[in-house]
Amino acid sequence: MRKTIVWGSLVLFCLAMPLSAIAQKVGGGDMTFKPKGASDVTFSHEVHVKTKGLKCTGCHYQVFQMTQGSYKMDMSKLTKGDFCGKCHNGQKSFDVKDTKNCAKCHK
Ligand code: HEC
Ligand code: HEC
Ligand code: HEC
């Protein structure tokens, strides 16, 4: 009887492991970009997906591939409305061109 319970919980434990590992991270998790000449930019999947309710397909694959560093981003592309600038344009979200907003991304 006791033995069954012990094995039972062991099996449950093993089953729960991969599930909890997936639950911890939303999409690609937090990703840090390290541009030359500016401080680091951290992109949070959790903020964009969970808090702001954006769908994976809103960004993948129209704006971004699913691999960090799949595109070379820079500010001139962002201010023209590519990559982060597709939304961070003062309409869908805060504007990359406004100097008040630099520090929202560059920390
Ligand atoms: C607001 C935009 C946005 C949304 C929404 C989004 N992602 Fe991402 N995702 C990104 C960006 C940006 C990258 C990095 C791309 C690059 O560097 O070229 C990325 C990269 C990834 C990666 C690769 C991570 C790595 O370490 O290389 C995975 C996996 C991923 N996303 C999964 C998802 C899933 C699953 C969802 C939905 C739950 C999702 N993403 C929603 C923007 C987004
Ligand atoms: C929505 C987020 C975001 C905002 C807001 C933002 N940036 Fe950036 N910035 C980035 C990203 C992403 C990169 C490219 C990271 C990389 O190298 O992959 C970058 C790169 C840079 C670079 C490196 C050189 C270049 O031209 O790309 C400089 C300098 C820079 N930003 C300055 C600024 C200034 C100044 C502001 C405010 C007027 C600003 N950024 C606002 C996300 C942002
Ligand atoms: C599909 C649209 C979309 C794309 C693409 C996108 N964002 Fe956002 N982002 C949003 C929205 C919407 C918000 C919420 C803005 C608000 O509340 O004003 C947000 C919020 C943020 C915030 C503030 C987070 C907080 O703590 O509230 C940061 C920083 C940010 N984004 C960085 C980035 C960077 C860096 C990229 C490119 C790698 C990017 N975003 C691409 C839509 C997007």
Side-chain angles (χ1 to χ4, degrees), residues 38-42 102-107:
S39 50
D40 292 2
V41 175
T42 299
C102 312
K104 287 188 180 164
C105 288
H106 291 281
K107 303 242 155 117

Side-chain angles (χ1 to χ4, degrees), residues 53-101:
L54 298 173
K55 295 209 162 61
C56 310
T57 49
C59 288
H60 301 293
Y61 296 92
Q62 337 175 17
V63 191
F64 292 105
Q65 299 300 308
M66 265 196 203
T67 317
Q68 179 165 13
S70 55
Y71 293 114
K72 184 73 200 95
M73 292 191 275
D74 63 45
M75 284 312 292
S76 65
K77 293 176 189 156
L78 265 56
T79 51
K80 283 188 204 109
D82 277 343
F83 306 117
C84 321
K86 193 178 176 214
C87 301
H88 291 281
N89 54 9
Q91 287 163 10
K92 288 185 187 156
S93 185
F94 58 84
D95 193 346
V96 289
K97 294 191 281 301
D98 190 330
T99 51
K100 286 202 297 284
N101 295 331

Side-chain angles (χ1 to χ4, degrees), residues 25-31 45 60:
K25 193 165 116 174
V26 177
D30 281 5
M31 284 176 306
H45 273 86
H60 301 293

